[in-house]
């Protein structure tokens, strides 16, 4: 599903991060571990096609995404990759339901309301469908973010520090949710985190 080889990222053309080679098989639940500043979020963004590496190969679903044009990369990411960011980045003026349909529309160019309702049921969000972002909790917003990332059934699900600000109980709940949803939707899961509580929950780990 994923392999990175001889991967180097450069900040401002001078400071470089060299990443070890790594392979993630289809269906794996994997983690990129490291302290703040180690480059784990940068690596996750490279894998997700949000950043381009200085050099090296990033192969996702048998495609070297580092060779794609920007438009081709955007299309590939929309079809194959779902990303759960550290902050939910929801549109505050829209309801939970509207945030999900908007995300779907931007990625596919159309809305599938049935799929949105099914996703809300899966994530326990059905009763919150009409609430605005400021009317839901941080944990609920996290679930909306996960649902948004999964709506197009991505082959690769990426999560950036999803448990960073959560207590132990909610940390366990979020990781369990990510793993179960990845299995339901047939997605390979990669979590970038400095949270050592997550380490034992994900079998394939890359430590930076």
């Amino acid at each position: 599903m994923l392999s990175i080889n001889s991967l180097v990222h450069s900040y401002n053309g001078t400071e470089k991060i060299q990443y070890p080679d790594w392979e993630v098989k289809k269906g794996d639940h994997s983690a990129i571990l490291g302290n703040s500043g180690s480059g784990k979020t940068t690596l996750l963004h490279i894998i997700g096609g949000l950043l381009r590496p200085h050099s090296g190969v990033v192969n996702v679903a048998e495609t070297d995404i580092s060779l794609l044009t920007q438009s081709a990369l955007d299309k590939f990411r929309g079809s194959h990759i779902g990303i759960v960011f550290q902050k939910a980045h929801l549109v505050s003026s829209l309801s939970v339901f509207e945030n999900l349909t908007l995300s779907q529309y931007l990625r596919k160019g159309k809305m599938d309301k049935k799929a949105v309702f099914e996703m809300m049921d899966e994530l326990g969000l059905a009763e919150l469908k009409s609430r605005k972002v400021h009317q839901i909790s941080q944990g609920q917003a996290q679930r909306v973010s996960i649902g948004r990332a999964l709506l197009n059934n991505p082959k690769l699900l990426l999560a950036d520090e999803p448990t960073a600000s959560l207590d132990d109980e909610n940390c366990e709940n979020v990781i369990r949710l990510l793993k179960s949803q990845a299995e339901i939707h047939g997605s390979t899961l990669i979590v970038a985190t400095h949270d050592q509580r997550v380490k034992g929950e994900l079998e394939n780990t890359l430590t930076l």
Side-chain angles (χ1 to χ4, degrees):
M1 170 50 66
L2 166 75
S3 63
I4 58 173
N5 301 96
S6 305
L7 193 62
V8 177
H9 185 69
S10 176
Y11 290 102
N12 301 319
T14 54
E15 183 183 354
K16 292 183 178 180
I17 300 177
Q18 294 183 323
Y19 292 104
D21 294 350
W22 192 39
E23 182 176 351
V24 177
K25 295 180 181 179
K26 182 179 179 180
D28 274 2
H29 296 156
S30 305
I32 302 169
L33 300 175
N35 296 325
S36 297
S38 63
K40 60 187 181 300
T41 292
T42 297
L43 177 56
L44 197 77
H45 287 183
I46 291 172
I47 292 170
L50 299 173
L51 287 175
R52 289 192 180 273
H54 176 77
S55 60
V57 176
V58 183
N59 196 302
V60 178
E62 300 182 352
T63 299
D64 184 353
I65 64 171
S66 56
L67 299 179
L68 297 178
T69 65
Q70 190 58 53
S71 60
L73 179 57
D74 291 341
K75 184 177 181 180
F76 182 87
R77 183 172 57 247
S79 300
H80 294 83
I81 302 173
I83 304 176
V84 181
F85 294 98
Q86 185 173 0
K87 294 184 178 180
H89 297 296
L90 303 178
V91 180
S92 59
S93 60
L94 300 181
S95 68
V96 167
F97 177 80
E98 290 167 338
N99 266 282
L100 289 170
T101 54
L102 175 63
S103 171
Q104 189 183 61
Y105 175 77
L106 291 174
R107 289 184 183 180
K108 285 188 174 180
K110 62 180 180 179
M111 288 185 288
D112 182 348
K113 291 185 178 181
K114 180 181 178 181
V116 174
F117 281 121
E118 289 174 350
M119 181 63 68
M120 287 193 298
D121 285 338
E122 283 181 22
L123 298 179
L125 296 170
E127 293 182 358
L128 305 177
K129 65 179 181 180
S130 299
R131 293 192 189 182
K132 297 293 195 292
V133 174
H134 69 275
Q135 296 175 315
I136 62 178
S137 69
Q138 182 179 2
Q140 290 166 341
Q142 184 79 291
R143 278 186 275 156
V144 176
S145 182
I146 292 170
R148 180 178 59 187
L150 285 165
L151 266 171
N152 287 341
N153 293 309
K155 293 182 179 179
L156 185 62
L157 176 63
L158 308 177
D160 185 16
E161 297 284 8
T163 63
S165 57
L166 301 179
D167 58 30
D168 288 350
E169 182 178 356
N170 283 312
C171 169
E172 184 177 344
N173 289 339
V174 166
I175 293 302
R176 187 186 301 118
L177 181 61
L178 284 168
K179 290 170 65 176
S180 65
Q181 288 298 310
E183 289 174 0
I184 289 170
H185 293 272
S187 303
T188 300
L189 173 65
I190 300 178
V191 177
T193 183
H194 69 274
D195 191 341
Q196 291 298 314
R197 297 174 298 180
V198 174
K199 186 175 182 178
E201 300 288 337
L202 303 166
E203 60 267 19
N204 181 3
T205 59
L206 173 67
T207 302
L208 303 179

